[in-house]
Amino acid sequence: AQSVTQLGSHVSVSEGALVLLRCNYSSSVPPYLFWYVQYPNQGLQLLLKYTSAATLVKGINGFEAEFKKSETSFHLTTPSAHMSDAAEYFCAVSDLGGSEKLVFGKGTKLTVNP
Amino acid sequence: DTGVSQNPRHKITKRGQNVTFRCDPISEHNRLYWYRQTLGQGPEFLTYFQNEAQLEKSRLLSDRFSAERPKGSFSTLEIQRTEQGDSAMYLCASSYRSGFEGYTFGSGTRLTVV
């Protein structure tokens, strides 16, 4: 089965700083990859997805992620953090064998300091 | 597009009682997914439907859990004889044709078993 590792359960940055949230997956077979954002007491919202097209994927709210097969990574970045970016971010990967279920990481809580 | 609707938003129940949650997906979406999220964890897959057919179930879905999607529209998730370990956020999501496109999540039902 697939597994997802998100390094850093908490990341804290200053407003305007670069944000880097790390995600590594286990399979050597390129999967479908997703980043979701969750605001307090809300469901998850899709930020962006990689589905075997361009390796650099742009999403909503100024976020982007780069798929690196050799590193089995799909890190999420934004060049300039806004206060409104404070939330929890989840990386997810499609499971093996064609299943449509997603395997999620444990999440990274992003704090943006003024 | 009214989004994915889940009811109730919150449910407090006594141990041993049965509870039922409802999910109304986006109307043209034929895939429907249930996930469970506990504090500090990412969502864990429970089950998913294509129209009215339940295509996959997690082993997390013990005999006390059952899900239905009659007529391929709304879905219900029932938990019988609730235990304290069932306390979690139950998330429903839907997708148009395939989970590989990414899901649209509802806001979830938070279950507290006392």
Side-chain angles (χ1 to χ4, degrees):
Chain A
Q2 278 278 19
S3 65
V4 177
T5 302
Q6 291 186 241
L7 284 177
S9 58
H10 289 85
V11 169
S12 182
V13 300
S14 298
E15 193 174 14
L18 171 74
V19 175
L20 171 63
L21 304 181
R22 298 178 186 273
C23 173
N24 289 85
Y25 61 93
S26 60
S27 173
S28 60
V29 176
Y32 293 92
L33 294 153
F34 307 85
W35 276 98
Y36 285 86
V37 60
Q38 187 176 34
Y39 298 99
N41 299 314
Q42 294 189 25
L44 284 76
Q45 180 182 6
L46 181 65
L47 269 180
L48 50 80
K49 61 186 177 186
Y50 168 76
T51 55
S52 76
T55 56
L56 183 63
V57 181
K58 295 188 183 297
I60 62 171
N61 301 342
F63 283 90
E64 63 181 34
E66 186 173 8
F67 170 67
K68 290 187 177 180
K69 182 180 176 181
S70 60
E71 299 177 7
T72 59
S73 70
F74 191 55
H75 302 329
L76 181 71
T77 62
T78 187
S80 177
H82 303 280
M83 299 296 291
S84 58
D85 294 329
E88 190 150 22
Y89 292 80
F90 292 93
C91 180
V93 59
S94 57
D95 204 3
L96 300 173
S99 168
E100 292 187 24
K101 99 182 184 196
L102 296 185
V103 178
F104 284 83
K106 292 188 175 182
T108 298
K109 187 172 182 180
L110 175 66
T111 301
V112 182
N113 303 305
Chain B
D1 182 351
T2 56
V4 178
S5 176
Q6 291 190 247
N7 287 288
R9 288 296 306 274
H10 303 275
K11 178 71 176 178
I12 299 174
T13 191
K14 292 183 178 180
R15 190 172 49 188
Q17 298 294 304
N18 299 344
V19 294
T20 300
F21 311 138
R22 177 178 170 126
C23 172
D24 288 88
I26 294 171
S27 58
E28 62 267 26
H29 285 189
N30 66 32
R31 304 301 211 265
L32 186 147
Y33 310 83
W34 285 99
Y35 282 75
R36 180 174 70 183
Q37 186 179 21
T38 53
L39 203 61
Q41 302 293 319
E44 295 175 291
F45 171 78
L46 292 177
T47 189
Y48 89 93
F49 294 83
Q50 178 180 329
N51 298 313
E52 65 274 13
Q54 189 172 22
L55 294 189
E56 190 173 347
K57 289 171 57 173
S58 165
R59 61 180 179 274
L60 289 176
L61 215 66
S62 73
D63 291 346
R64 296 185 299 106
F65 287 70
S66 62
E68 294 183 337
R69 192 183 182 197
K71 302 179 184 178
S73 55
F74 70 92
S75 176
T76 58
L77 178 68
E78 180 183 18
I79 309 174
Q80 297 182 327
R81 305 181 303 282
T82 52
E83 303 171 355
Q84 286 191 319
D86 297 332
S87 295
M89 175 78 86
Y90 289 84
L91 295 166
C92 177
S94 68
S95 64
Y96 177 47
R97 288 173 299 186
S98 161
F100 304 133
E101 300 171 344
Y103 305 161
T104 301
F105 278 89
S107 297
T109 294
R110 182 167 294 284
L111 173 66
T112 303
V113 181
V114 298

